[in-house]
Coordinates of all heavy atoms in Angstrom, one line a residue:
M234 N 30.2 5.7 2.9 CA 29.4 6.2 1.8 C 28.5 7.3 2.4 O 27.8 7.1 3.4 CB 28.5 5.0 1.3 CG 27.6 5.5 0.1 SD 26.8 4.1 -0.6 CE 26.4 4.8 -2.2
A235 N 28.5 8.4 1.7 CA 27.7 9.6 2.2 C 26.3 9.4 1.8 O 26.0 9.0 0.6 CB 28.3 10.8 1.6
V236 N 25.4 9.7 2.7 CA 24.0 9.8 2.4 C 23.5 11.2 2.7 O 23.8 11.8 3.7 CB 23.2 8.9 3.4 CG1 21.7 9.0 3.2 CG2 23.7 7.4 3.2
S237 N 22.8 11.8 1.7 CA 22.4 13.3 1.8 C 21.2 13.4 2.6 O 20.3 12.5 2.8 CB 22.3 13.8 0.5 OG 21.1 13.4 -0.1
P238 N 21.0 14.6 3.2 CA 19.7 14.9 4.0 C 18.5 14.7 3.0 O 17.4 14.3 3.4 CB 19.9 16.3 4.5 CG 21.4 16.5 4.6 CD 22.0 15.7 3.5
H239 N 18.7 15.1 1.7 CA 17.6 14.9 0.8 C 17.2 13.5 0.6 O 16.0 13.1 0.6 CB 18.1 15.5 -0.6 CG 17.0 15.3 -1.6 ND1 15.9 16.0 -1.7 CD2 17.0 14.4 -2.7 CE1 15.2 15.6 -2.8 NE2 15.9 14.7 -3.4
E240 N 18.2 12.6 0.6 CA 17.9 11.1 0.5 C 17.2 10.6 1.7 O 16.2 9.8 1.6 CB 19.2 10.3 0.2 CG 19.8 10.6 -1.2 CD 21.2 10.0 -1.3 OE1 22.0 10.2 -0.4 OE2 21.4 9.4 -2.4
V241 N 17.6 11.0 2.9 CA 17.0 10.6 4.1 C 15.6 11.1 4.2 O 14.6 10.4 4.5 CB 17.8 11.1 5.4 CG1 17.0 10.9 6.6 CG2 19.1 10.4 5.5
A242 N 15.3 12.4 3.8 CA 14.0 13.0 3.8 C 13.1 12.2 2.8 O 11.9 12.0 3.1 CB 14.1 14.5 3.4
H243 N 13.7 11.8 1.6 CA 12.9 11.0 0.6 C 12.4 9.7 1.2 O 11.2 9.3 1.1 CB 13.7 10.8 -0.6 CG 13.0 10.1 -1.7 ND1 11.9 10.5 -2.3 CD2 13.2 8.8 -2.1 CE1 11.5 9.6 -3.2 NE2 12.3 8.6 -3.1
V244 N 13.3 9.0 1.8 CA 13.0 7.7 2.4 C 12.0 7.8 3.6 O 11.1 7.1 3.7 CB 14.3 7.0 2.9 CG1 13.9 5.7 3.7 CG2 15.2 6.6 1.7
A245 N 12.2 8.9 4.4 CA 11.3 9.2 5.5 C 9.9 9.4 4.9 O 8.9 9.0 5.5 CB 11.8 10.3 6.3
R246 N 9.8 10.2 3.9 CA 8.5 10.5 3.3 C 7.8 9.2 2.7 O 6.7 9.1 2.9 CB 8.7 11.5 2.1 CG 7.5 12.2 1.6 CD 7.7 13.4 0.7 NE 8.8 13.2 -0.3 CZ 10.0 13.7 -0.2 NH1 10.3 14.4 0.9 NH2 10.9 13.5 -1.1
L247 N 8.6 8.4 2.1 CA 8.1 7.1 1.6 C 7.5 6.2 2.8 O 6.5 5.5 2.6 CB 9.1 6.3 0.8 CG 9.5 6.9 -0.5 CD1 10.7 6.1 -1.1 CD2 8.3 6.9 -1.5
A248 N 8.2 6.3 3.9 CA 7.9 5.5 5.1 C 6.8 6.2 6.0 O 6.5 5.7 7.0 CB 9.1 5.1 5.9
R249 N 6.5 7.4 5.5 CA 5.5 8.2 6.3 C 6.0 8.5 7.7 O 5.3 8.4 8.6 CB 4.1 7.6 6.3 CG 3.5 7.6 4.9 CD 2.1 6.9 4.9 NE 1.5 6.8 3.6 CZ 1.9 5.9 2.7 NH1 2.9 5.1 2.9 NH2 1.3 5.9 1.5
L250 N 7.3 8.9 7.8 CA 7.9 9.3 9.0 C 8.1 10.8 9.1 O 8.5 11.4 8.1 CB 9.3 8.6 9.2 CG 9.3 7.1 9.2 CD1 10.6 6.6 9.3 CD2 8.5 6.6 10.4
R251 N 7.9 11.4 10.2 CA 8.2 12.8 10.4 C 9.5 12.9 11.2 O 9.6 12.4 12.3 CB 7.0 13.4 11.2 CG 6.8 14.9 10.9 CD 5.5 15.4 11.5 NE 4.3 14.7 10.9 CZ 3.3 14.3 11.6 NH1 3.2 14.6 12.9 NH2 2.3 13.8 11.0
L252 N 10.5 13.5 10.6 CA 11.8 13.6 11.3 C 12.1 15.1 11.7 O 11.8 15.9 10.9 CB 12.9 13.0 10.4 CG 12.7 11.6 9.9 CD1 13.9 11.3 8.9 CD2 12.8 10.7 11.1
D253 N 12.7 15.2 12.8 CA 13.3 16.5 13.3 C 14.6 16.7 12.5 O 15.2 15.7 12.2 CB 13.5 16.5 14.8 CG 12.2 16.4 15.5 OD1 11.2 16.9 15.0 OD2 12.2 15.8 16.7
P254 N 15.1 17.9 12.4 CA 16.3 18.1 11.7 C 17.5 17.4 12.3 O 18.4 16.8 11.6 CB 16.5 19.7 11.8 CG 15.2 20.2 11.9 CD 14.4 19.2 12.7
G255 N 17.5 17.3 13.6 CA 18.6 16.5 14.3 C 18.6 15.0 14.0 O 19.6 14.4 13.9
E256 N 17.4 14.5 13.8 CA 17.2 13.1 13.4 C 17.7 12.9 12.0 O 18.4 11.8 11.7 CB 15.8 12.7 13.5 CG 15.3 12.6 14.9 CD 13.8 12.3 15.0 OE1 13.0 13.0 14.4 OE2 13.4 11.3 15.7
V257 N 17.5 13.9 11.1 CA 18.0 13.7 9.8 C 19.5 13.6 9.8 O 20.1 12.8 9.1 CB 17.5 14.9 8.9 CG1 18.2 14.9 7.5 CG2 16.0 14.8 8.7
D258 N 20.2 14.5 10.5 CA 21.6 14.5 10.6 C 22.2 13.1 11.1 O 23.1 12.5 10.6 CB 22.2 15.6 11.4 CG 21.9 17.0 10.8 OD1 21.7 17.0 9.6 OD2 21.9 18.0 11.5
R259 N 21.5 12.7 12.2 CA 21.9 11.4 12.8 C 21.7 10.2 11.8 O 22.6 9.4 11.7 CB 21.2 11.2 14.1 CG 21.6 9.9 14.8 CD 20.9 9.8 16.2 NE 19.5 9.9 16.0 CZ 18.7 8.9 15.7 NH1 19.2 7.7 15.3 NH2 17.3 9.0 15.6
L260 N 20.6 10.2 11.1 CA 20.3 9.2 10.2 C 21.2 9.2 9.0 O 21.5 8.1 8.5 CB 18.8 9.2 9.8 CG 17.8 8.7 10.8 CD1 16.4 9.0 10.4 CD2 18.0 7.3 11.2
C261 N 21.6 10.4 8.6 CA 22.6 10.5 7.5 C 23.9 9.7 7.9 O 24.4 8.9 7.1 CB 22.9 11.9 7.1 SG 21.7 12.8 6.2
A262 N 24.3 9.9 9.1 CA 25.6 9.3 9.5 C 25.3 7.8 9.7 O 26.2 7.0 9.3 CB 26.0 9.9 10.9
D263 N 24.2 7.4 10.3 CA 23.9 6.0 10.6 C 23.8 5.2 9.3 O 24.4 4.1 9.1 CB 22.7 5.8 11.4 CG 22.9 6.3 12.9 OD1 24.0 6.5 13.3 OD2 21.9 6.3 13.6
L264 N 23.0 5.8 8.3 CA 22.8 5.1 7.1 C 24.1 5.1 6.2 O 24.4 4.1 5.5 CB 21.7 5.8 6.2 CG 20.3 5.6 6.8 CD1 19.3 6.5 6.1 CD2 19.9 4.1 6.8
G265 N 24.9 6.1 6.3 CA 26.2 6.1 5.7 C 27.1 4.9 6.1 O 27.8 4.3 5.4
T266 N 27.1 4.7 7.5 CA 27.9 3.6 8.1 C 27.3 2.3 7.6 O 28.1 1.4 7.2 CB 27.8 3.7 9.6 OG1 28.3 5.0 10.0 CG2 28.6 2.6 10.2
I267 N 26.0 2.1 7.6 CA 25.4 0.9 7.2 C 25.7 0.6 5.8 O 26.1 -0.5 5.4 CB 23.9 0.9 7.4 CG1 23.6 0.9 8.9 CG2 23.2 -0.3 6.7 CD1 22.1 1.2 9.3
L268 N 25.6 1.6 4.9 CA 25.9 1.4 3.5 C 27.4 1.1 3.2 O 27.8 0.4 2.3 CB 25.4 2.6 2.6 CG 23.9 2.7 2.6 CD1 23.5 4.0 1.9 CD2 23.3 1.6 1.9
G269 N 28.3 1.7 4.1 CA 29.7 1.4 4.0 C 29.9 0.0 4.3 O 30.8 -0.7 3.6
H270 N 29.3 -0.6 5.3 CA 29.4 -2.0 5.6 C 28.9 -2.9 4.5 O 29.5 -3.9 4.1 CB 28.7 -2.4 6.9 CG 29.3 -1.8 8.1 ND1 30.6 -2.1 8.5 CD2 28.8 -1.0 9.1 CE1 30.9 -1.4 9.7 NE2 29.8 -0.8 10.0
A271 N 27.8 -2.5 3.9 CA 27.2 -3.3 2.8 C 28.2 -3.2 1.6 O 28.4 -4.2 0.9 CB 25.8 -2.7 2.4
N272 N 28.8 -2.1 1.3 CA 29.8 -2.0 0.2 C 31.0 -2.9 0.5 O 31.5 -3.6 -0.4 CB 30.3 -0.6 0.0 CG 29.3 0.3 -0.7 OD1 28.4 -0.3 -1.4 ND2 29.3 1.5 -0.5
E273 N 31.4 -3.0 1.7 CA 32.5 -3.9 2.1 C 32.1 -5.3 1.9 O 32.9 -6.1 1.4 CB 32.9 -3.6 3.6 CG 34.2 -4.2 4.0 CD 34.6 -3.8 5.4 OE1 34.3 -2.7 5.8 OE2 35.2 -4.6 6.1
L274 N 30.9 -5.7 2.3 CA 30.5 -7.1 2.0 C 30.3 -7.4 0.6 O 30.6 -8.5 0.1 CB 29.1 -7.3 2.7 CG 29.1 -7.3 4.3 CD1 27.7 -7.4 4.8 CD2 30.0 -8.5 4.8
A275 N 29.9 -6.4 -0.3 CA 29.8 -6.6 -1.7 C 31.2 -6.9 -2.3 O 31.2 -7.6 -3.4 CB 29.2 -5.4 -2.3
R276 N 32.3 -6.5 -1.7 CA 33.6 -6.8 -2.3 C 34.1 -8.1 -1.9 O 35.2 -8.6 -2.5 CB 34.6 -5.7 -1.8 CG 34.3 -4.3 -2.4 CD 35.4 -3.4 -2.1 NE 35.7 -3.1 -0.7 CZ 35.1 -2.1 0.0 NH1 34.3 -1.3 -0.6 NH2 35.4 -2.0 1.3
V277 N 33.4 -8.9 -1.1 CA 33.9 -10.2 -0.7 C 33.7 -11.2 -1.9 O 32.7 -11.2 -2.6 CB 33.1 -10.8 0.5 CG1 33.4 -12.2 0.8 CG2 33.3 -9.9 1.7
D278 N 34.7 -11.9 -2.2 CA 34.7 -12.8 -3.4 C 33.9 -14.1 -3.0 O 34.3 -14.8 -2.1 CB 36.2 -13.3 -3.7 CG 36.2 -14.2 -4.9 OD1 35.2 -14.3 -5.7 OD2 37.2 -14.9 -5.1
V279 N 32.8 -14.3 -3.6 CA 31.9 -15.4 -3.4 C 31.8 -16.3 -4.7 O 30.8 -17.1 -4.8 CB 30.5 -15.0 -2.9 CG1 30.6 -14.3 -1.5 CG2 29.9 -14.0 -3.9
S280 N 32.7 -16.1 -5.6 CA 32.6 -16.8 -6.9 C 32.6 -18.3 -6.8 O 32.1 -19.0 -7.6 CB 33.7 -16.3 -7.8 OG 34.9 -16.6 -7.3
D281 N 33.2 -18.8 -5.7 CA 33.3 -20.2 -5.5 C 32.2 -20.8 -4.7 O 32.2 -22.0 -4.4 CB 34.7 -20.6 -4.9 CG 34.9 -20.0 -3.6 OD1 34.3 -19.0 -3.3 OD2 35.7 -20.5 -2.8
L282 N 31.2 -20.0 -4.3 CA 30.1 -20.5 -3.5 C 28.9 -20.7 -4.4 O 28.6 -20.0 -5.3 CB 29.8 -19.4 -2.4 CG 30.9 -19.2 -1.4 CD1 30.4 -18.0 -0.4 CD2 31.2 -20.4 -0.6
E283 N 28.0 -21.6 -4.0 CA 26.8 -21.8 -4.6 C 25.8 -20.8 -4.2 O 25.8 -20.4 -3.0 CB 26.2 -23.2 -4.4 CG 27.0 -24.4 -4.9 CD 26.4 -25.7 -4.7 OE1 25.1 -25.8 -4.6 OE2 27.1 -26.7 -4.5
P284 N 24.9 -20.4 -5.1 CA 23.9 -19.4 -4.6 C 22.9 -20.0 -3.6 O 22.7 -21.3 -3.7 CB 23.2 -19.0 -5.9 CG 23.5 -20.0 -6.9 CD 24.8 -20.7 -6.5
P285 N 22.4 -19.3 -2.7 CA 21.4 -19.9 -1.7 C 20.2 -20.4 -2.4 O 19.7 -19.8 -3.4 CB 21.1 -18.7 -0.8 CG 21.5 -17.5 -1.5 CD 22.5 -17.9 -2.5
A286 N 19.7 -21.5 -1.9 CA 18.5 -22.1 -2.5 C 17.3 -21.2 -2.1 O 17.2 -20.7 -1.0 CB 18.2 -23.5 -2.0
S287 N 16.4 -21.0 -3.0 CA 15.2 -20.2 -2.8 C 14.0 -20.9 -3.5 O 14.1 -21.2 -4.7 CB 15.4 -18.8 -3.3 OG 14.2 -18.1 -3.2
G288 N 12.9 -21.0 -2.8 CA 11.7 -21.6 -3.4 C 10.8 -20.7 -4.2 O 9.9 -21.1 -4.8
A289 N 11.1 -19.4 -4.0 CA 10.2 -18.5 -4.7 C 11.0 -17.4 -5.5 O 12.1 -17.1 -5.1 CB 9.3 -17.8 -3.6
A290 N 10.4 -16.9 -6.5 CA 11.0 -15.8 -7.2 C 11.0 -14.5 -6.4 O 10.1 -14.4 -5.5 CB 10.2 -15.6 -8.5
P291 N 11.9 -13.6 -6.7 CA 11.9 -12.4 -5.9 C 10.6 -11.6 -6.1 O 10.0 -11.7 -7.1 CB 13.1 -11.6 -6.4 CG 13.7 -12.4 -7.5 CD 12.9 -13.7 -7.6
C292 N 10.2 -10.9 -5.1 CA 9.0 -10.0 -5.2 C 9.2 -8.9 -6.1 O 10.3 -8.3 -6.2 CB 8.6 -9.5 -3.8 SG 8.1 -10.8 -2.6
A293 N 8.2 -8.5 -6.8 CA 8.3 -7.3 -7.6 C 8.3 -6.0 -6.7 O 7.7 -6.0 -5.7 CB 7.1 -7.2 -8.5
L294 N 9.1 -5.0 -7.1 CA 9.2 -3.8 -6.4 C 8.0 -2.9 -6.7 O 7.6 -2.8 -7.9 CB 10.5 -3.1 -6.7 CG 11.8 -3.8 -6.4 CD1 13.0 -3.1 -6.8 CD2 11.9 -4.1 -4.9
R295 N 7.5 -2.2 -5.7 CA 6.5 -1.2 -5.9 C 7.1 0.1 -6.5 O 8.3 0.3 -6.4 CB 5.7 -1.0 -4.7 CG 6.5 -0.3 -3.6 CD 5.5 0.1 -2.5 NE 6.2 0.6 -1.3 CZ 6.6 1.9 -1.2 NH1 6.3 2.7 -2.2 NH2 7.2 2.3 -0.1
S296 N 6.2 0.9 -7.0 CA 6.7 2.2 -7.5 C 7.2 3.1 -6.3 O 6.7 3.0 -5.2 CB 5.6 2.9 -8.3 OG 4.6 3.2 -7.4
D297 N 8.1 3.9 -6.6 CA 8.7 4.8 -5.6 C 8.1 6.2 -5.6 O 8.7 7.2 -5.7 CB 10.2 4.9 -5.9 CG 11.0 5.5 -4.7 OD1 10.5 5.5 -3.6 OD2 12.2 5.9 -5.0
D298 N 6.7 6.2 -5.5 CA 6.0 7.4 -5.5 C 5.5 7.9 -4.2 O 4.9 9.0 -4.1 CB 4.9 7.4 -6.6 CG 3.8 6.3 -6.2 OD1 3.9 5.7 -5.1 OD2 3.0 6.1 -7.1
G299 N 5.6 7.1 -3.2 CA 5.1 7.6 -1.8 C 3.6 7.4 -1.6 O 3.2 7.8 -0.5
T300 N 2.9 6.9 -2.5 CA 1.4 6.7 -2.3 C 1.2 5.4 -1.5 O 2.0 4.5 -1.6 CB 0.7 6.8 -3.6 OG1 1.1 5.7 -4.5 CG2 0.8 8.1 -4.3
A301 N 0.1 5.4 -0.9 CA -0.3 4.2 -0.1 C -0.7 3.1 -1.0 O -1.4 3.3 -2.0 CB -1.3 4.5 0.9
E302 N -0.4 1.9 -0.6 CA -0.9 0.7 -1.3 C -2.3 0.5 -0.8 O -2.6 0.5 0.4 CB 0.0 -0.5 -1.0 CG 1.4 -0.5 -1.6 CD 1.4 -0.6 -3.1 OE1 0.7 -1.4 -3.6 OE2 2.3 0.1 -3.7
S303 N -3.2 0.2 -1.7 CA -4.6 0.0 -1.3 C -4.7 -1.5 -0.8 O -4.1 -2.4 -1.3 CB -5.6 0.2 -2.4 OG -5.4 -0.7 -3.5
M304 N -5.5 -1.7 0.3 CA -5.7 -3.0 0.8 C -6.8 -3.7 -0.1 O -7.8 -3.0 -0.4 CB -6.1 -3.0 2.2 CG -5.0 -2.5 3.1 SD -5.5 -2.6 4.9 CE -5.4 -4.3 5.1
L305 N -6.6 -4.9 -0.4 CA -7.6 -5.7 -1.2 C -8.8 -5.9 -0.3 O -9.9 -6.0 -0.9 CB -7.0 -7.0 -1.7 CG -5.8 -6.8 -2.6 CD1 -5.3 -8.2 -3.0 CD2 -6.2 -6.1 -3.9
R306 N -8.7 -6.1 1.0 CA -9.8 -6.3 1.8 C -9.7 -5.4 3.0 O -8.6 -5.1 3.5 CB -9.8 -7.8 2.4 CG -10.0 -8.8 1.3 CD -9.8 -10.2 1.8 NE -8.4 -10.4 1.9 CZ -7.8 -11.4 2.4 NH1 -8.5 -12.4 2.9 NH2 -6.5 -11.6 2.5
P307 N -10.8 -4.9 3.5 CA -10.7 -4.0 4.7 C -10.2 -4.9 5.9 O -10.5 -6.0 6.0 CB -12.1 -3.6 4.9 CG -13.0 -4.4 4.1 CD -12.2 -5.1 3.0
P308 N -9.5 -4.2 6.8 CA -8.9 -4.9 8.0 C -9.9 -5.7 8.8 O -9.6 -6.8 9.3 CB -8.2 -3.8 8.8 CG -8.1 -2.7 7.9 CD -9.1 -2.8 6.8
E309 N -11.1 -5.2 9.0 CA -12.1 -5.9 9.8 C -12.5 -7.2 9.3 O -13.0 -8.1 9.9 CB -13.3 -5.0 10.0 CG -14.0 -4.5 8.8 CD -13.5 -3.2 8.3 OE1 -12.5 -2.8 8.7 OE2 -14.3 -2.6 7.4
L310 N -12.2 -7.5 8.0 CA -12.5 -8.8 7.4 C -11.4 -9.8 7.7 O -11.6 -11.0 7.6 CB -12.7 -8.7 5.9 CG -14.0 -8.0 5.4 CD1 -14.1 -8.0 3.9 CD2 -15.2 -8.7 6.0
I311 N -10.2 -9.4 8.0 CA -9.1 -10.3 8.2 C -8.6 -10.3 9.6 O -7.8 -11.1 10.0 CB -7.9 -10.0 7.2 CG1 -7.4 -8.6 7.4 CG2 -8.3 -10.3 5.8 CD1 -6.1 -8.2 6.6
A312 N -9.0 -9.3 10.4 CA -8.6 -9.2 11.8 C -9.5 -10.0 12.7 O -10.8 -9.8 12.6 CB -8.5 -7.8 12.3
P313 N -9.0 -10.8 13.7 CA -9.9 -11.5 14.6 C -10.8 -10.6 15.4 O -12.0 -10.8 15.5 CB -9.0 -12.3 15.5 CG -7.6 -12.2 14.9 CD -7.6 -11.0 14.0
V314 N -10.3 -9.5 16.0 CA -11.1 -8.6 16.8 C -10.7 -7.2 16.3 O -9.5 -6.8 16.3 CB -10.8 -8.7 18.3 CG1 -11.6 -7.7 19.0 CG2 -11.1 -10.1 18.7
W315 N -11.6 -6.4 15.7 CA -11.3 -5.1 15.2 C -12.0 -4.0 16.0 O -13.2 -4.1 16.2 CB -11.7 -5.1 13.7 CG -11.6 -3.8 13.1 CD1 -12.6 -2.9 12.9 CD2 -10.4 -3.2 12.6 NE1 -12.1 -1.7 12.2 CE2 -10.7 -1.9 12.1 CE3 -9.1 -3.6 12.6 CZ2 -9.8 -1.1 11.5 CZ3 -8.2 -2.7 12.0 CH2 -8.5 -1.5 11.5
A316 N -11.2 -3.1 16.5 CA -11.7 -1.9 17.1 C -11.0 -0.7 16.5 O -9.8 -0.4 16.9 CB -11.5 -2.0 18.6
H317 N -11.5 -0.1 15.5 CA -10.8 0.9 14.7 C -10.1 1.9 15.7 O -10.7 2.4 16.6 CB -11.9 1.7 13.9 CG -11.2 2.6 12.9 ND1 -10.5 2.2 11.8 CD2 -11.2 4.0 12.9 CE1 -10.1 3.3 11.2 NE2 -10.5 4.4 11.9
P318 N -8.9 2.2 15.5 CA -8.0 1.8 14.4 C -7.1 0.6 14.8 O -6.0 0.5 14.2 CB -7.1 3.1 14.1 CG -6.9 3.6 15.5 CD -8.2 3.3 16.2
F319 N -7.5 -0.2 15.7 CA -6.6 -1.2 16.3 C -7.3 -2.6 16.0 O -8.5 -2.7 15.9 CB -6.4 -1.1 17.7 CG -5.7 0.3 18.1 CD1 -6.5 1.2 18.7 CD2 -4.4 0.5 17.8 CE1 -5.9 2.4 19.0 CE2 -3.9 1.7 18.2 CZ -4.6 2.7 18.8
F320 N -6.4 -3.6 15.9 CA -7.0 -5.0 15.9 C -6.1 -5.9 16.8 O -5.0 -5.6 17.1 CB -7.0 -5.6 14.5 CG -5.7 -5.7 13.8 CD1 -5.0 -6.9 13.9 CD2 -5.2 -4.7 13.0 CE1 -3.8 -7.1 13.3 CE2 -4.0 -4.9 12.4 CZ -3.3 -6.0 12.5
S321 N -6.8 -6.9 17.4 CA -6.1 -7.8 18.2 C -5.7 -9.1 17.5 O -6.4 -9.4 16.5 CB -7.1 -8.2 19.4 OG -7.4 -7.1 20.1
V322 N -4.7 -9.7 17.9 CA -4.3 -11.0 17.3 C -4.3 -12.1 18.4 O -4.2 -11.8 19.6 CB -2.9 -10.9 16.7 CG1 -2.9 -9.9 15.5 CG2 -1.9 -10.4 17.7
P323 N -4.4 -13.3 18.1 CA -4.4 -14.4 19.0 C -3.1 -14.4 19.8 O -2.0 -14.1 19.3 CB -4.6 -15.7 18.2 CG -5.1 -15.2 16.9 CD -4.6 -13.9 16.7
R324 N -3.2 -14.8 21.1 CA -2.0 -14.9 21.9 C -1.1 -16.1 21.4 O -1.6 -17.1 21.0 CB -2.4 -15.3 23.4 CG -1.2 -15.5 24.3 CD -1.7 -15.8 25.7 NE -2.3 -14.8 26.4 CZ -1.7 -13.7 26.9 NH1 -0.4 -13.6 26.7 NH2 -2.3 -12.8 27.5
L325 N 0.2 -15.8 21.4 CA 1.1 -16.8 21.0 C 1.1 -18.0 22.1 O 1.0 -17.7 23.3 CB 2.5 -16.3 21.0 CG 2.8 -15.3 19.8 CD1 4.2 -14.7 20.0 CD2 2.6 -15.9 18.5
A326 N 1.2 -19.2 21.6 CA 1.2 -20.4 22.5 C 2.3 -20.3 23.5 O 2.2 -20.7 24.7 CB 1.3 -21.6 21.7
S327 N 3.5 -19.7 23.1 CA 4.6 -19.6 24.0 C 4.4 -18.6 25.1 O 5.1 -18.6 26.1 CB 5.9 -19.2 23.2 OG 5.7 -17.9 22.6
H328 N 3.4 -17.7 25.0 CA 3.1 -16.7 26.0 C 1.8 -17.1 26.8 O 1.4 -16.4 27.8 CB 2.9 -15.4 25.4 CG 4.1 -14.9 24.8 ND1 4.1 -14.0 23.7 CD2 5.4 -15.0 25.1 CE1 5.4 -13.7 23.4 NE2 6.2 -14.3 24.2
A329 N 1.2 -18.2 26.6 CA -0.1 -18.6 27.2 C 0.1 -18.8 28.7 O -0.9 -18.6 29.4 CB -0.6 -19.8 26.5
A330 N 1.2 -19.3 29.1 CA 1.4 -19.6 30.5 C 1.8 -18.4 31.4 O 2.0 -18.6 32.6 CB 2.4 -20.8 30.7
I331 N 2.1 -17.3 30.8 CA 2.5 -16.1 31.6 C 1.3 -15.4 32.3 O 0.4 -15.1 31.6 CB 3.2 -15.1 30.7 CG1 4.5 -15.8 30.0 CG2 3.7 -13.8 31.5 CD1 5.1 -14.9 29.0
P332 N 1.4 -15.3 33.6 CA 0.2 -14.7 34.3 C 0.1 -13.2 33.8 O 1.1 -12.6 33.5 CB 0.6 -14.8 35.8 CG 1.7 -15.8 35.9 CD 2.4 -15.9 34.5
A333 N -1.1 -12.7 33.9 CA -1.4 -11.4 33.3 C -0.6 -10.3 34.0 O -0.1 -9.4 33.4 CB -2.9 -11.1 33.5
Q334 N -0.4 -10.4 35.4 CA 0.4 -9.3 36.1 C 1.8 -9.3 35.7 O 2.5 -8.2 35.8 CB 0.2 -9.5 37.6 CG 0.9 -10.7 38.2 CD -0.1 -11.9 38.3 OE1 -1.2 -11.9 37.6 NE2 0.2 -12.9 39.1
E335 N 2.4 -10.4 35.2 CA 3.8 -10.4 34.7 C 4.0 -9.8 33.4 O 5.1 -9.5 32.9 CB 4.4 -11.8 34.8 CG 4.5 -12.3 36.2 CD 5.1 -13.7 36.2 OE1 5.8 -14.1 35.2 OE2 4.8 -14.5 37.2
Q336 N 2.9 -9.7 32.6 CA 3.0 -9.2 31.2 C 3.1 -7.7 31.1 O 3.6 -7.1 30.2 CB 1.8 -9.7 30.4 CG 1.7 -11.1 30.2 CD 0.4 -11.5 29.5 OE1 -0.1 -10.7 28.9 NE2 0.1 -12.8 29.7
A337 N 2.6 -7.0 32.2 CA 2.6 -5.5 32.1 C 4.0 -4.9 32.2 O 5.0 -5.5 32.5 CB 1.7 -5.0 33.2

């Protein structure tokens, strides 16, 4: 499935990504391949399968206008340690035993 440079530029703009022209060409090819695989999967007959169980309704889609979603609360109220523009999160228990010199 062909993906145009205009479509790639639109998605990049929505994701706030700055792409070089070479990246646009590469992403057109990559996304075309991915969408081709998705189209192939969509042709698989699943009529005899039960739909997957889901406990929640699907999320509503946001508008496709490229504007930022406003945060309901400022990050410093929800982040454990806030140092603008970064915040720290607690260490994962699975990483607690790794000595500091091995983490670098």
Side-chain angles (χ1 to χ4, degrees):
M234 176 175 204
V236 177
S237 73
H239 175 74
E240 291 169 316
V241 169
H243 178 68
V244 171
R246 194 170 42 258
L247 290 172
R249 294 177 181 78
L250 298 175
R251 208 171 298 142
L252 301 176
D253 295 328
E256 291 175 304
V257 171
D258 294 338
R259 184 178 51 82
L260 286 172
C261 285
D263 290 348
L264 290 171
T266 301
I267 292 168
L268 292 174
H270 290 303
N272 283 338
E273 193 173 327
L274 289 173
R276 291 192 297 267
V277 174
D278 180 18
V279 294
S280 59
D281 60 337
L282 299 176
E283 290 184 34
S287 174
C292 295
L294 297 176
R295 65 174 175 81
S296 63
D297 193 17
D298 61 8
T300 58
E302 294 288 324
S303 63
M304 294 186 70
L305 297 177
R306 293 174 283 176
E309 57 270 16
L310 290 181
I311 58 174
V314 179
W315 174 257
H317 187 72
F319 304 104
F320 63 90
S321 298
V322 294
R324 176 181 291 287
L325 294 173
S327 60
H328 296 149
I331 300 173
Q334 66 269 17
E335 292 181 26
Q336 294 177 19

